[in-house]
PDB file of all heavy atoms in Angstrom:
ATOM      1  N   ALA U 111      14.054 -16.263 -81.140  1.00 96.00           N
ATOM      2  CA  ALA U 111      13.197 -15.468 -80.269  1.00 96.00           C
ATOM      3  C   ALA U 111      12.294 -16.458 -79.537  1.00 96.00           C
ATOM      4  O   ALA U 111      11.855 -17.441 -80.134  1.00 96.00           O
ATOM      5  CB  ALA U 111      12.355 -14.514 -81.100  1.00 96.00           C
ATOM      6  N   ALA U 112      12.057 -16.214 -78.263  1.00 97.00           N
ATOM      7  CA  ALA U 112      11.243 -17.153 -77.502  1.00 97.00           C
ATOM      8  C   ALA U 112      10.384 -16.424 -76.489  1.00 97.00           C
ATOM      9  O   ALA U 112      10.686 -15.300 -76.086  1.00 97.00           O
ATOM     10  CB  ALA U 112      12.154 -18.161 -76.788  1.00 97.00           C
ATOM     11  N   GLY U 113       9.315 -17.072 -76.075  1.00 98.00           N
ATOM     12  CA  GLY U 113       8.457 -16.535 -75.027  1.00 98.00           C
ATOM     13  C   GLY U 113       8.959 -17.013 -73.667  1.00 98.00           C
ATOM     14  O   GLY U 113       9.358 -18.164 -73.524  1.00 98.00           O
ATOM     15  N   GLY U 114       8.905 -16.131 -72.691  1.00 98.00           N
ATOM     16  CA  GLY U 114       9.375 -16.489 -71.354  1.00 98.00           C
ATOM     17  C   GLY U 114       8.309 -17.228 -70.564  1.00 98.00           C
ATOM     18  O   GLY U 114       7.225 -16.688 -70.318  1.00 98.00           O
ATOM     19  N   TYR U 190       0.400 -18.878 -81.179  1.00 97.00           N
ATOM     20  CA  TYR U 190       1.004 -18.850 -79.854  1.00 97.00           C
ATOM     21  C   TYR U 190       0.230 -19.803 -78.960  1.00 97.00           C
ATOM     22  O   TYR U 190      -0.865 -20.260 -79.299  1.00 97.00           O
ATOM     23  CB  TYR U 190       1.007 -17.422 -79.303  1.00 97.00           C
ATOM     24  CG  TYR U 190       1.951 -16.511 -80.067  1.00 97.00           C
ATOM     25  CD1 TYR U 190       1.455 -15.463 -80.841  1.00 97.00           C
ATOM     26  CD2 TYR U 190       3.322 -16.715 -80.022  1.00 97.00           C
ATOM     27  CE1 TYR U 190       2.320 -14.636 -81.551  1.00 97.00           C
ATOM     28  CE2 TYR U 190       4.190 -15.897 -80.728  1.00 97.00           C
ATOM     29  CZ  TYR U 190       3.689 -14.865 -81.498  1.00 97.00           C
ATOM     30  OH  TYR U 190       4.538 -14.060 -82.207  1.00 97.00           O
ATOM     31  N   GLU U 191       0.788 -20.092 -77.798  1.00 98.00           N
ATOM     32  CA  GLU U 191       0.228 -21.104 -76.924  1.00 98.00           C
ATOM     33  C   GLU U 191      -0.960 -20.548 -76.126  1.00 98.00           C
ATOM     34  O   GLU U 191      -1.138 -19.339 -76.009  1.00 98.00           O
ATOM     35  CB  GLU U 191       1.313 -21.593 -75.944  1.00 98.00           C
ATOM     36  CG  GLU U 191       2.525 -22.192 -76.630  1.00 98.00           C
ATOM     37  CD  GLU U 191       3.406 -21.162 -77.352  1.00 98.00           C
ATOM     38  OE1 GLU U 191       3.441 -19.992 -76.913  1.00 98.00           O
ATOM     39  OE2 GLU U 191       4.037 -21.528 -78.358  1.00 98.00           O
ATOM     40  N   VAL U 207       9.710 -20.820 -74.545  1.00 98.00           N
ATOM     41  CA  VAL U 207       8.984 -21.587 -75.557  1.00 98.00           C
ATOM     42  C   VAL U 207       9.132 -20.930 -76.924  1.00 98.00           C
ATOM     43  O   VAL U 207       9.172 -19.715 -77.042  1.00 98.00           O
ATOM     44  CB  VAL U 207       7.482 -21.722 -75.172  1.00 98.00           C
ATOM     45  CG1 VAL U 207       6.803 -20.346 -75.097  1.00 98.00           C
ATOM     46  CG2 VAL U 207       6.737 -22.630 -76.138  1.00 98.00           C
ATOM     47  N   GLY U 208       9.245 -21.788 -77.930  1.00 98.00           N
ATOM     48  CA  GLY U 208       9.367 -21.270 -79.284  1.00 98.00           C
ATOM     49  C   GLY U 208       8.978 -22.309 -80.316  1.00 98.00           C
ATOM     50  O   GLY U 208       8.499 -23.387 -79.972  1.00 98.00           O
ATOM     51  N   MET U 209       9.196 -21.948 -81.582  1.00 97.00           N
ATOM     52  CA  MET U 209       8.701 -22.778 -82.685  1.00 97.00           C
ATOM     53  C   MET U 209       9.842 -23.281 -83.579  1.00 97.00           C
ATOM     54  O   MET U 209       9.623 -23.571 -84.755  1.00 97.00           O
ATOM     55  CB  MET U 209       7.712 -21.975 -83.529  1.00 97.00           C
ATOM     56  CG  MET U 209       6.594 -21.324 -82.725  1.00 97.00           C
ATOM     57  SD  MET U 209       5.615 -20.205 -83.737  1.00 97.00           S
ATOM     58  CE  MET U 209       4.591 -19.413 -82.476  1.00 97.00           C
ATOM     59  N   THR U 232      11.552 -12.474 -76.058  1.00 97.00           N
ATOM     60  CA  THR U 232      10.929 -11.297 -76.678  1.00 97.00           C
ATOM     61  C   THR U 232       9.615 -10.912 -76.022  1.00 97.00           C
ATOM     62  O   THR U 232       9.106  -9.810 -76.237  1.00 97.00           O
ATOM     63  CB  THR U 232      10.663 -11.566 -78.175  1.00 97.00           C
ATOM     64  OG1 THR U 232       9.960 -12.805 -78.284  1.00 97.00           O
ATOM     65  CG2 THR U 232      11.961 -11.642 -78.952  1.00 97.00           C
ATOM     66  N   ASN U 233       9.053 -11.815 -75.258  1.00 97.00           N
ATOM     67  CA  ASN U 233       7.736 -11.567 -74.648  1.00 97.00           C
ATOM     68  C   ASN U 233       7.527 -12.557 -73.516  1.00 97.00           C
ATOM     69  O   ASN U 233       8.186 -13.594 -73.465  1.00 97.00           O
ATOM     70  CB  ASN U 233       6.627 -11.765 -75.704  1.00 97.00           C
ATOM     71  CG  ASN U 233       6.666 -13.168 -76.289  1.00 97.00           C
ATOM     72  OD1 ASN U 233       7.514 -13.459 -77.140  1.00 97.00           O
ATOM     73  ND2 ASN U 233       5.789 -14.044 -75.832  1.00 97.00           N
ATOM     74  N   LEU U 234       6.614 -12.224 -72.632  1.00 97.00           N
ATOM     75  CA  LEU U 234       6.192 -13.199 -71.629  1.00 97.00           C
ATOM     76  C   LEU U 234       5.234 -14.150 -72.328  1.00 97.00           C
ATOM     77  O   LEU U 234       4.394 -13.731 -73.118  1.00 97.00           O
ATOM     78  CB  LEU U 234       5.513 -12.493 -70.463  1.00 97.00           C
ATOM     79  CG  LEU U 234       6.367 -11.415 -69.768  1.00 97.00           C
ATOM     80  CD1 LEU U 234       5.589 -10.795 -68.610  1.00 97.00           C
ATOM     81  CD2 LEU U 234       7.679 -11.996 -69.273  1.00 97.00           C
ATOM     82  N   ALA U 235       5.368 -15.437 -72.067  1.00 98.00           N
ATOM     83  CA  ALA U 235       4.513 -16.425 -72.718  1.00 98.00           C
ATOM     84  C   ALA U 235       3.059 -16.230 -72.286  1.00 98.00           C
ATOM     85  O   ALA U 235       2.769 -15.540 -71.300  1.00 98.00           O
ATOM     86  CB  ALA U 235       4.995 -17.833 -72.380  1.00 98.00           C
ATOM     87  N   ALA U 236       2.165 -16.836 -73.026  1.00 97.00           N
ATOM     88  CA  ALA U 236       0.726 -16.632 -72.813  1.00 97.00           C
ATOM     89  C   ALA U 236       0.320 -16.889 -71.357  1.00 97.00           C
ATOM     90  O   ALA U 236       0.718 -17.883 -70.759  1.00 97.00           O
ATOM     91  CB  ALA U 236      -0.060 -17.559 -73.740  1.00 97.00           C
ATOM     92  N   LEU U 243      -0.611 -11.783 -77.107  1.00 95.00           N
ATOM     93  CA  LEU U 243       0.647 -11.936 -77.843  1.00 95.00           C
ATOM     94  C   LEU U 243       0.474 -11.549 -79.293  1.00 95.00           C
ATOM     95  O   LEU U 243      -0.559 -11.856 -79.896  1.00 95.00           O
ATOM     96  CB  LEU U 243       1.115 -13.406 -77.774  1.00 95.00           C
ATOM     97  CG  LEU U 243       2.000 -13.769 -76.576  1.00 95.00           C
ATOM     98  CD1 LEU U 243       1.226 -13.583 -75.285  1.00 95.00           C
ATOM     99  CD2 LEU U 243       2.487 -15.180 -76.702  1.00 95.00           C
ATOM    100  N   VAL U 248       7.045  -9.302 -80.604  1.00 94.00           N
ATOM    101  CA  VAL U 248       8.209 -10.188 -80.692  1.00 94.00           C
ATOM    102  C   VAL U 248       9.310  -9.507 -81.503  1.00 94.00           C
ATOM    103  O   VAL U 248      10.472  -9.422 -81.082  1.00 94.00           O
ATOM    104  CB  VAL U 248       7.805 -11.543 -81.330  1.00 94.00           C
ATOM    105  CG1 VAL U 248       9.036 -12.373 -81.685  1.00 94.00           C
ATOM    106  CG2 VAL U 248       6.882 -12.322 -80.392  1.00 94.00           C
TER     107      VAL U 248
HETATM  108  N1  HPA Q   1       5.610 -18.655 -78.070  1.00 60.66           N
HETATM  109  C1  HPA Q   1       6.126 -19.345 -79.095  1.00 60.66           C
HETATM  110  N2  HPA Q   1       7.075 -18.872 -79.874  1.00 60.66           N
HETATM  111  C2  HPA Q   1       7.540 -17.640 -79.632  1.00 60.66           C
HETATM  112  C3  HPA Q   1       7.045 -16.863 -78.586  1.00 60.66           C
HETATM  113  C4  HPA Q   1       6.027 -17.399 -77.764  1.00 60.66           C
HETATM  114  O1  HPA Q   1       5.538 -16.772 -76.810  1.00 60.66           O
HETATM  115  N3  HPA Q   1       7.728 -15.685 -78.614  1.00 60.66           N
HETATM  116  C5  HPA Q   1       8.603 -15.761 -79.643  1.00 60.66           C
HETATM  117  N4  HPA Q   1       8.500 -16.952 -80.262  1.00 60.66           N
END
Side-chain angles (χ1 to χ4, degrees):
Y190 292 113
E191 301 71 29
V207 62
M209 308 172 189
T232 51
N233 58 282
L234 303 181
L243 271 63
V248 169

